[in-house]
Every structure is written in structure tokens, then in C-alpha cells.
Amino acid sequence: MMNDLTCIIIGGGYAGLQALKSIQKTTQGMANGRRIRFVLLDNQPGHLRKLRLFRPTAVEEEIVIPWNNLVLKGFEFVQGAVTSVDSGEKQVRYTDVQGNDAQIHYDLLVVAVGSIVRRPDPDQGGIALTDPQAAADIRERWRANLQKAARETNPEEQKRLMTIVVAGAGISGIETSTELALAMRKEAAALGLNPADTSVYLLNAQERLLLEVSEKFRRKLDQQLIECGVTVLHKRKALREEAGVVTLSNGDCLAVGLCIWTLGLIPNPGLRGMGLPLTPDRKVLVDEYYRVQGMSNVYSIGDCAGIVDPRDGRATQMTCFEAGEQGLRLGKIVMADLEGRPAPSHHSAKSNMDAFTIALGQKGVFWIRTWGLDMVMTGKIPGKIKKLVEDQASYLR
């Protein structure tokens, strides 16, 4: 064991798992005649399938997968919350499950602690879709509201109980609102209510959805949302939810049974105390080879890393797709660094291609734009494509 090299990966999200797999593959578990011991350090008991966070808002679905249920093998798992990285001593300090301080030596370190969902201010009300528990709370709330609505005699109160507002119209907001609209219709019918009386409003601060997509794709998406029962309100922000009323930025008010916030991602705030160099937007400062500035044999990828394309200066997006591409490249970079030869530099995966797959219940909408082609597909196949991609990214058995 003393002669082994220890490679620690902090964070078992999409980037961390891809990094683990990729470094294992490129090194074959050996470097300069020494065996590499792989350690995955994460504060959760399993891998959170973050791309499917919207699902438990509507149905019971387990989205935290125990580490030993993944197809990945050949690593030790340590559960703990990292408190600091000491690059001089090559130590990672962390708090274990029992709350004790502990430390572990590394020879190679990959920081892939990802991002968290942005929360509204506590006085803004509603529920933010931040984790599986929040998703389960949302599911309990709207189902209880529909049961109350089935007994309610006042039509206005019944309508309020059957209404949900989703504030934030990124992909997470689109998928959450669709999933809820379809589930509420089904549940309303089972309770003897009119499914058409359920309302899901998606609040979009912009003039139209997903500014980066083509007009063709947007038209299809708008049409699909209407069919699923989602009403998109453009140029509207939710200011707060209080006592069943959501106040909007244009002065309007909506009576709702539930307000859900889907406000996008921010880099993991845990980074701030780790002693790593950070960019102004609080991501890990790395070069185009994912090496952390001023720390030898320390790398960072994924949503927590401030990665910039050296060709055009564009910052990478916080997506699972980008994280996967970075993880694959990191394996080659680490191998090159271990052998003392030039490493491949970062380049954005989507520089000459745009692609989106959005789940809409069991169906979906898929878009690709590349080399002058602008193709949109709707129906069950895009839904299946998305599920397949998610299963692969999570290394499910």
C-alpha cells in the first residue's frame, strides 16, 4: 500500500464519475510501475441523478443510487464533507459521517463537487426544487391540495388548490412544469375532478424560452407545452409567494396552491472554505488542462470549475454533457502529465454543434443544429434518448 499512488476524486456527480472511469481506463490502474488506488469522496451515501430531480415531484422515483449499485468498480468510497485541501502536505481534510475530523493523503486529486440549485430568499415563500427531499415535499403538497379540492365547495378556492406556479423557465423548469401538469391531470381525474381545471403556469423572465435555440425548435417546444397543459407567461418573474398568492414582477397576482422555484445552478458554495484558488464567480481557477492554479497534481472539472475555451475565450456551460466531455479528456490529461508529455487542452464540446433533449412526461423534444442542419424531433423517441443518456451518465447497471 505504501508504494501505491492515491487518486482521490471529490464529488460523485456526473463529472466525478466520468473522471473516475476515464482515469481508470487511460492509466489501467498503473503509473510509472506503481499501482493507483482510487478513492471517491462524497458527502452523500449515493450518486444523485440530478438530471432527474424533476421526476419525484410527480411520482415516487428513487434518484439517489447507492455507490455499489453503479457499474463502476475498482474504487473505495469514503463518505464525508471536505473542509480543506492542503496542497503542500497533499492532504484532503474532511468531516466524516460521525462528525469527526479526518484526513486522507493524495498523490492525484480531482475536485468535481459540482453545483447546487440556487435558492430564493427565505421570505419569498414557495418551495425550491433543490434536492430529492424537496421534490418529495412538492409531490405531497400538490396531491394533498387536489384531495382538498375534491371536497371544496367554493369554486375559487378549488381553482386555487388546483393551480401551481413554476418560477424559472430553464430546462429544469420546463421539465418540472410538464411533469406536474401531466401528473395533476391524471390525479384530478382519479379524484373525480375535471382534469381541465388543473393549471400549471411556467414563469419565464425572458421574451421567449431558451434564447439559444432555433425558432423552429422553440415553436415545437411551445406547442408541446400547450398540449401537456403548461401555460408559459413570458417577461414575468415571481417576486414572492405569500398565503397562496404569487406576486409577479408586472404587478399581477396569481392565486396558487403551490409555488415552485427552479432558479438554475450556482457553483458548490462548499468550495469557498476549501483553500482552492477561485475565479470572481467562485469557481475553481484552472488552466486549459484543468490543472488547478498553483497546486501540483490537482485538477478540477464540471460545474465547479472555471473552464474557458482557449480558442474563443468562452466559459463552458454548466451541463451534464460538458461535464462528461471534460471527464473523458481529463483521463488523457492525467496520463500525459504522469508520463511527462504534452497534454490535450480543453475545447468546448458544443463549439460547432447545438443539441438539446428535453423530457416532456414520457415523451420529449430533441433538437440538433450543426453544419447548417436544424433538426427537431418530438414524441416518445426523444424521451427514450434522454433516459438512455441519463442512465449512461449515471453508470447505472
Side-chain angles (χ1 to χ4, degrees), residues 37-50:
R37 165 193 176 217
F38 291 95
V39 178
L40 180 64
L41 179 56
D42 195 290
N43 61 354
Q44 297 300 320
H47 163 69
L48 170 63
R49 304 188 67 196
K50 206 161 158 193

Side-chain angles (χ1 to χ4, degrees), residues 48-62:
L48 170 63
R49 304 188 67 196
K50 206 161 158 193
L51 288 175
R52 296 192 67 75
L53 192 52
F54 67 94
R55 279 286 289 166
T57 65
V59 293
E60 284 194 45
E61 181 176 306
E62 186 50 72

